[in-house]
Amino acid sequence: MITNMKLRYIIPMFMAAVTMLVGCSEDEEKSTLSQIQVSQSVISLAAGEEADPEDKEFESTITINANGDWEFKDVPDWLTITPVSGGAGKQTIVFKAKKTTESRSAFLKLLCNGQEQEVNVQQIAKKVDIPLSTCAQIIAGEDGKTYRVKGTVKSIANTTYGNWYLIDETGEVYIYGTLDKNGNEKNFLSLGIGVGDIVTVEGPRKDYNGTIEMVNVTVIAIEKSLIAVDALDIENNTIAKTGGEFHVTLSNKGDGLDVKIPEEAKDWLFVTGINISGETSTVTFKALPNTGGARKATVTFVTTSGGKEYTAETSITQEADVLPHGENPDDPFTVAEAIAKCKAIGSTSDGVIYYAKGTISSIKEVNIEKGNATFNISDDGTDDAAITVFRSKFLNNENFSSEDQIGVGDEVLICGKLVDYKGETPEFSGNVYIYKLKKASNEPGSKANPFTPSEANAFCMTLSGTTADDYYVKGKIVKYKDGGEFGTQHGNATFYISADGQESSEQFYVYRTLYLGNKKYNNEEDPKPAVGDEVIICGKLTLYVKNDTKTPETQQNESYIYSWNGKTSLE
């Protein structure tokens, strides 16, 4: 059950705000914790002078304000915290450490009522020259230890705080926060760092849920790349599914130009021409038509000078011929499927936009000032198996303007990126908005008050076509149409339902309905509803007319079994 979002709140000093590219959402900060607040989340302790006795201690204090019992976790041996735990209210906390000749850092967890606040304690010794390490050495290194590394900027995730990827010939590390020349954060753009630059940085190592980071690094040197991508003549770096030619223009101060297309894209993406004129290079590409899902390639441009290689990159996406399940608003995930996808993706977004349909089970907040809302949705309307929709915009990606725009029980179709925040909280997080909204209703045919079979028949007789909205019909299976049981050939089923499951009662015709979760039946080992089972059907209704015979029924392949004997999934 998702009862509390475990949030990471960092008060600006040295620590950069967490992005969902590493455990949260892209270019967004989590909101202030409701259960515990700290006066500052980065604590700096003096390291001492050479003449100080070895047992001299240095201290710093902060104030915490908690709504319940709290305690610090992951406290290293070199650090003393007084008190290390306590109860509700305001309290002063003292951090102490003895003199040190080596810089050290600790990332502490402050827990209160299921919420987690991170506190970073740093003790910086006098500046000494740190030898260069490789990315591989840092990956295999020690948390809290300060390293220096030189590598190439592979990509930049956040230009406000300076979150980016550094690579060398041995591996890759994530730079989580970059300080400017005055030691300040949130000023990354002032450094002028770009993709392809060769940069030397120094900072402490941290293993964050398996992602090796260097935190709040200091930039030692920047060697600007001699090549950079200036422009593409396709909108949003996206090629139409029909394919065709496009051009990439580069600034190139090196000698020559080599274009590298990844192996997995060589069967659909080709270079058809390279034109070099002075310091401007133009590369012509051709993409073949796409007959499958969306595909993406990161193309690398390489030039040389003085025996050194300089690189620049750009990513090319080609539209899908048919968007796959979950990436199509007309074929969205169930909440259960969205949660499973979050687990598969992990704490770093894969950049894909997904859709999921569900019912709002609880609302954390509607923030009118910021124009967004955070709430949970689930398949059955409870929080037992819910996904968090974090800082969502309203319909049409517009700001929320009032708290009553959504409510518990409303049906929503959510659009956005998926992540498993900290491996604990499946979330829609990153450019999220409500794609469709159906307010909770107790009208006949709603989820709260499904049609009976006789009511569904009467309603369909008033139709002149297929409904635009989904309706709910509840009954017990009377019989399957001959050969109409669920099977993998067509993935649907056709049967009759009545209020009591008796053939003598008025029946409603469920025509080619999909399986649980609004998906095709695709595994013969999965159970099949039996005669007498109670089902709730959700979908579009229609009045089928042939030879003056009118048949109320569900629209073919546009309905599904929402509930089967009270369950909305096989789990």
Side-chain angles (χ1 to χ4, degrees), residues 279-469:
E279 294 185 354
T280 300
S281 298
T282 302
V283 182
T284 302
F285 290 88
K286 181 178 180 180
L288 296 181
N290 189 4
T291 59
R295 52 193 183 187
K296 184 176 183 179
T298 298
V299 179
T300 304
F301 304 92
V302 184
T303 191
T304 60
S305 179
K308 289 184 179 181
E309 281 194 352
Y310 297 86
T311 63
E313 291 183 348
T314 191
S315 292
I316 309 297
T317 300
Q318 188 173 25
E319 295 174 343
D321 183 36
V322 177
L323 289 172
H325 177 58
E327 297 177 33
N328 187 340
D330 296 323
D331 184 23
F333 282 146
T334 63
V335 172
E337 289 172 331
I339 290 173
K341 190 67 177 180
C342 288
K343 298 295 183 182
I345 291 172
S347 60
T348 300
S349 167
D350 63 2
V352 177
I353 300 299
Y354 294 99
Y355 297 84
K357 181 180 179 181
T359 301
I360 297 178
S361 54
S362 60
I363 299 174
K364 180 181 179 182
E365 70 166 346
V366 178
N367 190 321
I368 305 305
E369 181 181 353
K370 295 184 177 180
N372 59 43
T374 298
F375 50 93
N376 287 345
I377 65 171
S378 66
D379 288 320
D380 62 4
T382 73
D383 269 343
D384 289 337
I387 187 171
T388 296
V389 181
F390 180 69
R391 290 189 174 178
S392 171
K393 297 293 186 179
F394 194 53
L395 290 168
N396 300 316
N397 209 7
E398 296 178 352
N399 284 348
F400 275 83
S401 57
S402 66
E403 293 185 357
D404 61 0
Q405 286 177 297
I406 57 171
V408 172
D410 291 351
E411 293 180 36
V412 289
L413 180 61
I414 302 298
C415 171
K417 298 175 184 178
L418 292 174
V419 291
D420 191 21
Y421 176 57
K422 299 189 78 172
E424 299 174 351
T425 307
E427 287 186 357
F428 266 103
S429 186
N431 303 321
V432 185
Y433 68 99
I434 297 174
Y435 190 84
K436 288 184 180 179
L437 169 67
K438 184 177 181 180
K439 297 294 292 180
S441 169
N442 200 42
E443 294 292 321
S446 65
K447 182 187 294 187
N449 184 18
F451 283 137
T452 65
S454 60
E455 288 173 334
N457 285 334
F459 174 77
C460 287
M461 291 300 291
T462 68
L463 300 175
S464 58
T466 301
T467 61
D469 295 326

Side-chain angles (χ1 to χ4, degrees), residues 242-253:
T242 53
E245 283 194 346
F246 63 96
H247 304 86
V248 178
T249 304
L250 306 103
S251 299
N252 182 7
K253 298 179 181 179

